[in-house]
């Protein structure tokens, strides 16, 4: 992703977390001003009910986002086991770890200290140039922090699972990251044919570790781009992230509008 897309994604993540608190603020203010001694009565006030309904609408995407992040943290044990059960290796200046597996798998795992993992079958099956091409692809994921950004992307997808267009936007953003890693490998000296063979041979990575893999996203389009380099990349998701952030703040804005209108009406009646 571009720098602008990453800034927009961070802004969306922050908005998701803070929006329920901002939406709840008018309800808390109303109850405080009414006095907590009358809490049971004020809780059934139409204005408070509207505030709480808007807060619930704002909290649903936030809950999906935070639950997705919480689920990802549980993959740390699997990552630790993977590290302990693998051996260090190096090819062409790229360090990686080999783990035992009878399928061709290559991926980068770990959101903060990404590590490249390669299966023993991949080492056995792929030629040295093909393996090096795959490692260059994975090094791009390391340098770009794609595991962490992919984690945020998937969490956003969970937050807005009720919006089909969000799922497509997340998929396109992930595909662009894979295409950019392919281009990095080519610029690093990998032959297109070697990278093509490595992608075609690779299987999806293990489901539990948070990772980015050479076999992720739309493999067909990536293979087409290797054969026909002029094939356009998917667009940047910057506007989509900003649109979602704007959608998230709507309940908070409505809650404050309701509070302002109620205050104005109360003042008018009092005068």
């Amino acid at each position: 992703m571009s720098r602008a897309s990453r800034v927009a994604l961070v802004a969306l993540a922050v908005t998701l977390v803070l929006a329920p608190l901002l939406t709840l603020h008018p309800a808390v203010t109303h109850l405080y001003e009414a006095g907590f001694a009358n809490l049971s009565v004020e809780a059934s006030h139409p204005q408070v009910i509207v505030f709480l309904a808007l807060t619930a609408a704002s909290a649903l995407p936030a809950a999906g986002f935070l639950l997705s992040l919480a689920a990802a943290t549980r993959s740390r044990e699997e990552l630790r086991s993977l590290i302990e059960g693998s051996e260090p290796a190096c090819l062409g200046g790229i360090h990686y770890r080999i783990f035992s597996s009878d399928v061709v798998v290559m991926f980068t795992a770990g959101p903060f200290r990404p590590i490249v993992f390669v299966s023993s079958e991949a080492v056995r099956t792929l030629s040295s140039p093909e393996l090096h091409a795959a490692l260059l692809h994975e090094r791009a994921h390391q340098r770009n922090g794609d595991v962490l950004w992919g984690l945020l992307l998937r969490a956003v997808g969970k937050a807005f699972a009720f919006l089909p267009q969000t799922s497509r936007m997340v998929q396109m953003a992930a595909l662009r990251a894979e295409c950019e890693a392919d281009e990095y490998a080519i610029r690093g000296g990998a032959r297109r044919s070697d990278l093509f063979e490595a992608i075609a041979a690779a299987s999806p990575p293990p489901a539990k570790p948070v990772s980015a893999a050479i076999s992720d996203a739309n493999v067909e389009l990536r293979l087409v781009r290797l054969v026909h380099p002029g094939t356009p990349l998917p667009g940047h998701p910057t506007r989509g992230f900003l649109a979602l952030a704007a959608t998230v703040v709507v309940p908070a804005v409505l809650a404050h509008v309701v509070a302002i209108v109620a205050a104005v009406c109360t003042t008018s009646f009092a005068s």
Side-chain angles (χ1 to χ4, degrees):
M1 291 188 293
S2 66
R3 180 175 298 179
S5 293
R6 292 180 176 183
V7 171
L9 179 56
V10 171
L12 173 57
V14 173
T15 303
L16 272 168
V17 175
L18 295 182
L21 300 177
L22 295 174
T23 310
L24 186 61
H25 175 259
V28 174
T29 302
H30 176 89
L31 294 174
Y32 177 78
E33 292 176 349
F36 288 104
N38 300 320
L39 184 60
S40 58
V41 175
E42 291 296 329
S44 60
H45 192 284
Q47 184 178 333
V48 175
I49 293 175
V50 170
F51 290 151
L52 295 179
L54 290 171
T55 301
S58 178
L60 284 176
F65 179 79
L66 293 175
L67 287 173
S68 179
L69 293 182
T73 62
R74 292 195 288 270
S75 69
R76 288 180 298 180
E77 290 300 323
E78 286 78 12
L79 178 58
R80 185 178 295 110
S81 298
L82 192 57
I83 294 173
E84 293 173 353
S86 59
E87 298 179 354
C90 183
L91 177 63
I94 303 176
H95 295 274
Y96 61 100
R97 300 190 70 89
I98 303 174
F99 66 98
S100 179
S101 176
D102 57 358
V103 294
V104 177
V105 180
M106 296 154 287
F107 60 94
T108 302
F112 301 109
R113 294 182 179 178
I115 300 172
V116 176
F117 291 93
V118 178
S119 68
S120 54
E121 182 65 15
V123 174
R124 187 187 69 82
T125 302
L126 299 179
S127 67
S128 181
E130 291 168 354
L131 179 58
H132 186 242
L135 289 173
L136 283 169
H137 174 99
E138 297 303 330
R139 185 163 69 176
H141 287 316
Q142 282 184 310
R143 296 167 78 93
N144 295 334
D146 287 336
V147 178
L148 177 60
W149 294 111
L151 174 61
L152 286 177
L153 270 176
R154 287 187 288 272
V156 166
K158 292 290 185 181
F160 297 97
F162 53 91
L163 296 177
Q165 59 269 36
T166 301
S167 176
R168 175 169 175 77
M169 181 182 66
V170 168
Q171 291 173 5
M172 290 299 101
L175 175 56
R176 185 178 181 93
E178 292 299 324
C179 290
E180 289 172 347
D182 291 339
E183 292 183 345
Y184 175 92
I186 298 300
R187 292 195 303 270
R191 294 189 304 176
R192 292 182 179 276
S193 58
D194 291 330
L195 185 57
F196 185 104
E197 292 299 329
I199 295 173
S203 300
K208 291 184 179 180
V210 178
S211 64
I214 195 171
S215 56
D216 279 348
N218 189 330
V219 172
E220 290 79 7
L221 177 61
R222 292 168 56 204
L223 295 178
V224 169
R225 294 192 75 254
L226 288 174
V227 177
H228 302 288
T231 305
L233 282 167
H236 288 291
T238 308
R239 292 183 179 179
F241 293 151
L242 294 177
L244 288 176
T247 301
V248 168
V249 301
V250 167
V253 172
L254 289 177
H256 284 81
V257 168
V258 170
I260 293 171
V261 170
V264 170
C265 292
T266 301
T267 303
S268 299
F269 286 134
S271 59

